[in-house]
Amino acid sequence: MVSDVHGNARDLARAGEGADALICLGDLILFLDYADHSRGIFPDLFGVENADRIVELRTARRFGEARELGARLWAGLDGDRAQVVEQAVRKQYAELFAAFPAPTYATYGNVDMPPLWPEYAREGTTVLDGERVEIGGRVFGFVGGGLRTPMRTPFEISDEEYAAKIEAVGEVDVLCTHIPPDVPELVYDTVARRFERGSRALLDAIRRTRPRYALFGHVHQPLVRRMRVGATECVNVGHFARTGTPWALTW
């Protein structure tokens, strides 16, 4: 089980060793590495100095200034913004999807671009969103994407759309999402020093349907990685880009 891969294709190629299946909870793309500002699409296009500045602004929650800086940088770039980004994303997706073992079950993160996934998902990779599948005799439900934030990442959706996908999944043994349920200890990032957006609808579903596990990522350095909500074990499976180590679910 991996989440927040953010360009780490090298470790992803080994992540499924010894497992019946690999499950990926999204955020394959690396736009900007907050630990190493020289890595990602943003510094490749605009340089490390500008990456340093935009991380500084975002960390200080000066999102308006960060957007203004980004707008100035994009305005000075040759070529259409959407095409430039898509070309860079395609390069990363080609490498990352090639690293997936078979079988892999995957859903989207908030920084992913879902329309491109069908072009890269090979035989043995199953993409699910608002859907269920049986793995090893257990029913898994998958819900991808994130909720809307000032960061305006590519796959942020409304609370209503997200809740509808949670409802479509229904009762499962293992509920797999990119973002966590809206519990303060699970959504607070201790390094970024902010509360990320978790889902209230997800939390309500966990309390109502009582899956054995609720698994997610999104928060890279959470205050708490694991806690119980009623009968359900809620687990942040980890920031795979940094650790390179999958989280193992065993029965």
Side-chain angles (χ1 to χ4, degrees):
M1 180 90 56
V2 301
S3 186
D4 300 271
V5 175
H6 294 302
N8 189 350
R10 180 192 62 187
D11 291 321
L12 185 62
R14 301 191 295 265
E17 291 179 356
D20 294 329
L22 177 69
I23 292 173
C24 178
L25 302 183
D27 273 9
L28 299 183
I29 297 170
L30 179 62
F31 277 104
L32 176 58
D33 189 331
Y34 277 58
D36 180 354
H37 303 168
S38 68
R39 298 182 63 244
I41 294 171
F42 190 92
D44 286 348
L45 293 174
F46 304 118
V48 177
E49 184 175 332
N50 284 315
D52 290 340
R53 180 59 177 156
I54 206 159
V55 169
E56 177 186 354
L57 291 171
R58 287 178 176 176
T59 302
R61 303 187 65 79
R62 293 158 61 184
F63 296 116
E65 293 176 64
R67 285 194 292 271
E68 289 174 5
L69 173 60
R72 290 197 302 271
L73 293 171
W74 285 108
L77 190 71
D78 291 334
D80 178 75
R81 173 177 176 169
Q83 291 179 350
V84 170
V85 171
E86 182 174 319
Q87 183 178 5
V89 169
R90 284 182 177 278
K91 182 178 178 182
Q92 289 190 15
Y93 275 164
E95 184 177 9
L96 290 160
F97 276 90
F100 278 144
T104 290
Y105 300 89
T107 197
Y108 316 112
N110 60 291
V111 301
D112 283 312
M113 298 176 67
L116 298 182
W117 280 36
E119 297 183 42
Y120 295 94
R122 305 177 302 170
E123 184 177 354
T125 297
T126 303
V127 179
L128 302 122
D129 187 18
E131 300 166 282
R132 300 149 54 103
V133 68
E134 185 176 312
I135 307 172
R138 309 284 179 171
V139 178
F140 287 66
F142 291 80
V143 175
L147 298 176
R148 289 176 181 154
T149 72
M151 302 288 282
R152 298 182 182 178
T153 51
F155 194 44
E156 294 181 353
I157 60 178
S158 70
D159 289 57
E160 293 76 15
E161 186 178 352
Y162 194 88
K165 293 196 292 185
I166 292 288
E167 187 67 24
V169 165
E171 294 187 14
V172 294
D173 298 306
V174 183
L175 185 51
C176 300
T177 60
H178 177 67
I179 62 174
D182 190 16
V183 177
E185 296 89 339
L186 297 176
V187 300
Y188 186 74
D189 191 306
T190 60
V191 174
R193 293 177 295 175
R194 65 171 179 255
F195 290 95
E196 303 288 357
R197 282 214 66 190
S199 169
R200 181 71 192 190
L202 173 57
L203 177 60
D204 290 344
I206 289 169
R207 288 172 170 162
R208 184 178 69 254
T209 65
R210 299 162 61 89
R212 183 169 178 179
Y213 287 96
L215 307 176
F216 49 87
H218 186 56
V219 183
H220 292 177
Q221 297 88 200
L223 183 64
V224 173
R225 292 195 175 276
R226 186 169 187 156
M227 67 182 295
R228 294 194 73 83
V229 173
T232 302
E233 192 74 15
C234 298
V235 183
N236 184 321
V237 303
H239 180 197
F240 186 77
R242 180 178 59 82
T243 67
T245 303
W247 185 81
L249 176 63
T250 58
W251 298 109

